[in-house]
């Protein structure tokens, strides 16, 4: 029987974020080149997106390319950028069919123009979709995001648009790439690595962390269900005591 039936649909995480890791090791284990690991990972993206929509998860954010990933061999970066273009083209229909709205976070201007063009095209075409917001983190780094937000806020203070006293959690939130997205409830990382790798440091302040050994291309819907069930068993206290939660 599928684990799906054990999920409490009334207690779904509002926002799931995934660090999709292990494509290279998946390929290496099979004696394949890394590019084939990345390609295979796109299938997991599709099945995960569809599973989240079907369950009723409102927000899914996928870490697809980090600011640090620019330091990979030129050819690998090129392959990943090309794969992005083909996947966006291929998945547009699936997004429309499932009423998924696409967003992107990160230093999008750094992406090759062709990728930007395809990305903006799909973002524009899906902007009225309401079932789920799918956010791709591309050329994304949390420190870069915080630096960027700090500059914008300082600029507003300098030009007397806001006063220093107005700076609070909410104002900072509104200057991050993720403005308008709720905080992350469940953060999943595949491939066995137990680190955050500069992903949404601010937004995961109270997220539940879930690490699985499974490489991203092997990540199936059952693995997602397992993560959600595990999440639902946890007590989120947000600093309070258990008694206070009753
Ligand atoms: C994740 O898989 C994809 C990206 C970071 C773009 P990796 O390419 O990091 O795979 P491993 O970690 O080398 O196995
Ligand atoms: C994090 O994975 C970035 C993405 C999944 C896009 P990495 O493979 O780049 O992270 P590190 O280098 O192992 O920390
Ligand atoms: Mg990796």
């Amino acid at each position: 029987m599928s684990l799906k039936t054990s999920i409490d649909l009334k207690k779904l995480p509002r926002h799931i974020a995934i660090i999709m890791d292990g494509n290279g090791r998946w390929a290496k284990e099979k004696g394949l080149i890394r590019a084939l690991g990345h390609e295979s990972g796109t299938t997991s993206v599709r099945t995960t997106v569809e599973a989240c929509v079907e369950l009723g998860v409102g927000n899914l954010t996928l870490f697809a390319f980090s600011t640090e990933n620019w330091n990979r061999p030129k050819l690998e970066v090129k392959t990943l950028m090309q794969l992005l273009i083909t996947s966006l083209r291929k998945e547009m229909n699936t997004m429309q069919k499932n009423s998924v709205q696409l967003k992107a976070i990160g230093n999008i201007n750094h992406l090759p123009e062709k990728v930007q063009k395809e990305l903006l095209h799909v973002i524009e075409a899906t902007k009225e979709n309401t079932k789920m917001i799918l956010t791709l983190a591309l050329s994304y780094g949390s420190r870069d995001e915080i630096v960027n937000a700090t500059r914008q806020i300082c600029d507003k203070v300098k030009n007397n648009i806001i006063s220093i006293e107005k700076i609070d959690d909410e104002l900072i939130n509104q200057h991050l790439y993720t403005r308008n997205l709720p905080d992350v409830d469940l953060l999943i990382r595949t491939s066995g690595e137990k680190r955050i790798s500069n992903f949404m440091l601010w937004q995961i302040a109270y997220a539940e962390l879930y690490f699985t050994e499974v490489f991203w291309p092997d990540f199936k819907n059952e693995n997602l269900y397992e993560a959600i069930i595990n999440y639902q068993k946890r007590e989120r206290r947000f600093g309070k005591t258990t008694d206070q939660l009753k």
Side-chain angles (χ1 to χ4, degrees):
M1 204 174 68
S2 169
L3 285 171
K4 195 174 151 191
T5 52
S6 307
I7 295 175
D8 181 350
L9 295 175
K10 290 190 293 294
K11 274 172 51 186
L12 284 174
R14 240 181 113 193
H15 187 175
I16 299 179
I18 308 182
I19 302 175
M20 311 184 288
D21 198 14
N23 295 351
R25 279 163 286 161
W26 178 90
K28 195 171 179 201
E29 249 188 13
K30 296 190 151 42
L32 304 170
I33 54 164
R34 293 177 60 86
L36 292 174
H38 296 311
E39 200 184 302
S40 187
T42 61
T43 304
S44 302
V45 172
R46 184 187 316 123
T47 55
T48 303
V49 168
E50 292 197 306
C52 284
V53 173
E54 204 192 308
L55 284 171
V57 173
N59 298 274
L60 174 67
T61 300
L62 301 175
F63 201 7
F65 193 86
S66 72
T67 44
E68 290 75 18
N69 288 149
W70 290 115
N71 299 320
R72 289 196 178 190
K74 263 207 174 96
L75 184 62
E76 178 159 345
V77 172
K78 205 175 153 196
T79 306
L80 284 164
M81 292 302 141
Q82 191 51 51
L83 195 59
L84 247 163
I85 297 174
T86 46
S87 306
L88 284 165
R89 280 190 193 144
K90 234 168 79 185
E91 298 310 323
M92 168 102 139
N93 282 341
T94 326
M95 285 187 244
Q96 298 292 36
K97 195 182 80 200
N98 290 294
S99 189
V100 170
Q101 185 186 137
L102 186 75
K103 286 191 179 195
I105 54 171
N107 197 341
I108 302 304
N109 295 332
H110 263 198
L111 296 168
E113 251 171 53
K114 267 186 166 170
V115 177
Q116 289 189 43
K117 214 180 121 209
E118 205 60 45
L119 196 58
L120 295 180
H121 172 64
V122 182
I123 290 173
E124 180 61 29
T126 61
K127 71 175 185 207
E128 310 287 347
N129 292 348
T130 52
K131 258 199 156 161
M132 185 177 82
I133 294 176
L134 168 65
T135 305
L136 292 183
L138 293 167
S139 189
Y140 175 88
S142 197
R143 288 185 171 183
D144 169 65
E145 178 180 43
I146 291 169
V147 167
N148 186 55
T150 308
R151 284 191 182 146
Q152 285 180 52
I153 294 169
C154 289
D155 195 58
K156 287 183 185 169
V157 171
K158 193 175 93 185
N159 292 304
N160 292 318
I161 297 167
I162 53 167
S163 63
I164 288 183
E165 294 70 34
K166 281 264 147 54
I167 302 175
D168 58 9
D169 281 24
E170 195 36 45
L171 186 106
I172 292 176
N173 249 330
Q174 283 308 318
H175 287 84
L176 298 174
Y177 294 134
T178 50
R179 76 199 93 195
N180 303 327
L181 289 180
D183 277 352
V184 175
D185 296 306
L186 170 61
L187 174 70
I188 300 173
R189 183 172 188 146
T190 59
S191 90
E193 307 296 2
K194 290 175 187 68
R195 55 175 170 262
I196 302 301
S197 303
N198 199 14
F199 188 46
M200 303 219 279
L201 300 177
W202 172 277
Q203 299 86 340
I204 62 166
Y206 257 108
E208 297 297 328
L209 310 182
Y210 182 87
F211 299 100
T212 168
E213 298 293 317
V214 173
F215 291 140
W216 179 248
D218 285 331
F219 192 81
K220 301 282 184 297
N221 287 353
E222 291 298 307
N223 302 110
L224 173 75
Y225 302 150
E226 213 174 348
I228 295 174
I229 290 165
N230 184 293
Y231 161 89
Q232 293 186 330
K233 285 187 186 137
R234 301 185 192 186
E235 183 177 67
R236 303 185 77 194
R237 289 189 290 278
F238 298 98
K240 295 183 177 171
T241 67
T242 300
D243 283 345
Q244 280 181 295
L245 300 173
K246 285 177 188 146

